[in-house]
Amino acid sequence: MKQTNFILALLLITCLSCAQQVESEIKVESPASLNYTTEIIVPDMNIPWGMAFLPDGGMLITEKSGELIHFKNGEKIKIGGLPEIYVRGQGGFMDIKLHPDYTNNGWIYFSYASSEGEGDGGNTAIMRAKLNANTLIEKQVLYKANPNTTKGQHFGSRIEFDNEGFLYFSIGERGERDINPQDITRDCGKIYRLYDDGRIPGDNPFINSPNAKKAIYSYGHRNPQGMLKNPETGEIWVHEHGPQGGDEINIIQKGKNFGWPLISYGINYDGTSFTDLTSKEGMEQPLFYWIPSIAPSGFAFVTSDKYPDWNGNLLVGSLKFQYLERLVLENGKVIKREKLFDKIGRVRDVVQAPDGYIYVAVEGKGILKIVPKN
């Protein structure tokens, strides 16, 4: 009997090991040589959460504490007319994105924590506005998650447009993993899709589901803090924080369930398990997952000829380990991880700008530009 139990235990350990192979076993490497360095472009910023690049060469930068900075010609100007921002824990002033046709319509989109609506505390909101003489005007709230909560975690929130001009944004599950992400009648733990003016598309997946939040596009998410449009396929990709282990990259699909918290490659922060499942019928598998967690924030797809050896690669910021990670793709799978600019600081955002250069927002430092070495 003892021998039988030993064999069963060994088989169980083997099966658990097999469940976390492939992506988790791709170890992050340091490059043998790095052809690039960084230079500070915008110094002295606390938590620069998001960046958007204006056609005139200026830059808009959100500070989590509730400021919007217009940087141009070496000068930082604070923008007025912001909405009231609820700053708590991970929440505050978050992402910012220009409309794809900004040069003609002037719309700027941003995500922030707001106390408007039902209940104490706050939740994630999406607003659009225009910039006039360093003041926001024509402000329109496009979406506000409810109810509010005084919890300080998992607000999301990134913003992206697809090739058809639809607006996507993420809202984390706000620390209510057993309530929000699997329930389409509740906000939070979701990816949402709207028209650029806030209207809900008639072909959204849950438009005819009773009591559903009609703006939901996919669900079962934990806390997505990276979102991009894949320039090769047009798909919306996100990465999201897992708990201890199990950060994921997911390709968003209409109406799909991405599993949180019923399936996960992670465990609780205290080392205990909250699910025995890494897969389940009807739930999507990630493109890639990290073990251990790197706490990802910011997401860029490199297409610029200024970085020929990175072309077609993904860049992801690591808050936990304080570096920029390069992911090499081949046939739709991650085949290599590389640690860039080790100990640079907590990387909050990474963007390939219209000038072709990559800019990195680092907490406690500012905005850095990646440039080729001479």
Side-chain angles (χ1 to χ4, degrees):
M1 179 66 73
K2 287 183 178 180
Q3 185 176 8
T4 301
N5 288 341
F6 175 77
I7 293 171
L8 289 173
L10 186 62
L11 287 171
L12 177 61
I13 291 169
T14 302
C15 289
L16 288 173
S17 297
C18 291
Q20 294 190 353
Q21 283 183 349
V22 189
E23 287 90 346
S24 64
E25 291 188 348
I26 302 175
K27 303 303 182 186
V28 64
E29 306 170 9
S30 295
S33 62
L34 187 57
N35 298 323
Y36 311 100
T37 187
T38 62
E39 58 183 44
I40 289 274
I41 301 299
V42 188
D44 304 322
M45 303 202 71
N46 185 23
I47 304 180
W49 219 99
M51 299 175 277
F53 294 82
L54 296 168
D56 66 0
M59 184 189 311
L60 295 174
I61 311 162
T62 60
E63 274 275 22
K64 178 182 164 294
S65 57
E67 295 179 347
L68 179 59
I69 303 298
H70 181 198
F71 180 82
K72 187 179 180 183
N73 298 327
E75 183 180 7
K76 287 192 286 189
I77 301 170
K78 290 184 181 180
I79 300 300
L82 272 64
E84 183 178 346
I85 295 171
Y86 177 77
V87 180
R88 183 183 182 93
Q90 297 171 8
F93 201 20
M94 295 177 286
D95 206 14
I96 186 165
K97 192 83 176 180
L98 303 187
H99 190 283
D101 195 25
Y102 175 81
T103 53
N104 290 317
N105 62 35
W107 286 117
I108 302 167
Y109 295 73
F110 45 87
S111 58
Y112 64 103
S114 169
S115 59
E116 295 295 321
E118 58 184 285
D120 295 331
N123 216 325
T124 303
I126 304 296
M127 175 178 278
R128 73 173 182 173
K130 295 182 179 181
L131 187 60
N132 180 43
N134 295 316
T135 300
L136 293 179
I137 62 171
E138 299 185 39
K139 297 188 291 285
Q140 301 173 5
V141 176
L142 303 186
Y143 200 86
K144 168 62 172 61
N146 284 301
N148 292 331
T149 171
T150 57
K151 287 178 177 287
Q153 61 264 56
H154 304 174
F155 288 81
S157 167
R158 293 291 176 185
I159 301 171
E160 186 59 282
F161 287 90
D162 70 5
N163 287 335
E164 297 178 322
F166 287 108
L167 169 68
Y168 294 76
F169 56 93
S170 63
I171 301 178
E173 38 84 307
R174 301 294 278 106
E176 297 283 3
R177 75 180 185 194
D178 297 319
I179 299 174
N180 289 331
Q182 289 294 317
D183 187 347
I184 62 170
T185 70
R186 297 178 64 89
D187 278 317
C188 305
K190 316 293 194 307
I191 304 297
Y192 301 79
R193 184 180 77 147
L194 300 174
Y195 284 113
D196 62 356
D197 61 2
R199 291 176 296 125
I200 296 174
D203 62 347
N204 266 13
F206 304 111
I207 197 75
N208 296 316
S209 299
N211 302 316
K213 299 288 185 177
K214 312 302 185 185
I216 294 172
Y217 198 72
S218 65
Y219 65 109
H221 298 280
R222 187 172 184 266
N223 189 30
Q225 289 191 344
M227 181 181 287
L228 59 78
K229 178 185 72 176
N230 184 317
E232 295 180 351
T233 66
E235 298 163 325
I236 299 298
W237 290 23
V238 302
H239 65 57
E240 52 191 285
H241 288 246
Q244 183 172 306
D247 301 339
E248 296 180 354
I249 295 176
N250 287 303
I251 302 175
I252 299 308
Q253 301 173 67
K254 181 179 180 177
K256 297 296 186 179
N257 181 355
F258 287 84
W260 177 256
L262 302 181
I263 62 174
S264 177
Y265 289 94
I267 57 176
N268 288 316
Y269 291 110
D270 64 4
T272 60
S273 175
F274 59 87
T275 178
D276 296 326
L277 302 177
T278 56
S279 64
K280 188 174 183 180
E281 186 177 355
M283 296 182 182
E284 303 305 304
Q285 281 292 295
L287 171 82
F288 179 79
Y289 61 89
W290 286 270
I291 295 178
S293 294
I294 68 166
S297 189
F299 206 8
F301 194 105
V302 183
T303 60
S304 173
D305 59 7
K306 298 186 186 300
Y307 313 94
D309 46 337
W310 294 356
N311 198 272
N313 297 170
L314 298 172
L315 297 178
V316 178
S318 170
L319 294 166
K320 181 178 180 181
F321 296 118
Q322 303 189 22
Y323 65 81
L324 185 65
E325 182 158 319
R326 180 170 76 102
L327 299 174
V328 180
L329 296 172
E330 186 176 284
N331 299 321
K333 293 195 176 293
V334 174
I335 62 167
K336 182 179 179 181
R337 299 173 57 194
E338 199 168 74
K339 181 188 302 183
L340 309 176
F341 311 113
D342 194 19
K343 305 305 179 186
I344 195 174
R346 284 169 55 88
V347 177
R348 176 56 68 179
D349 198 13
V350 52
V351 175
Q352 182 179 289
D355 65 4
Y357 285 102
I358 293 166
Y359 293 79
V360 182
V362 180
E363 295 185 4
K365 290 186 178 179
I367 309 301
L368 284 64
K369 180 180 179 180
I370 301 178
V371 295
K373 290 180 178 177
N374 293 327

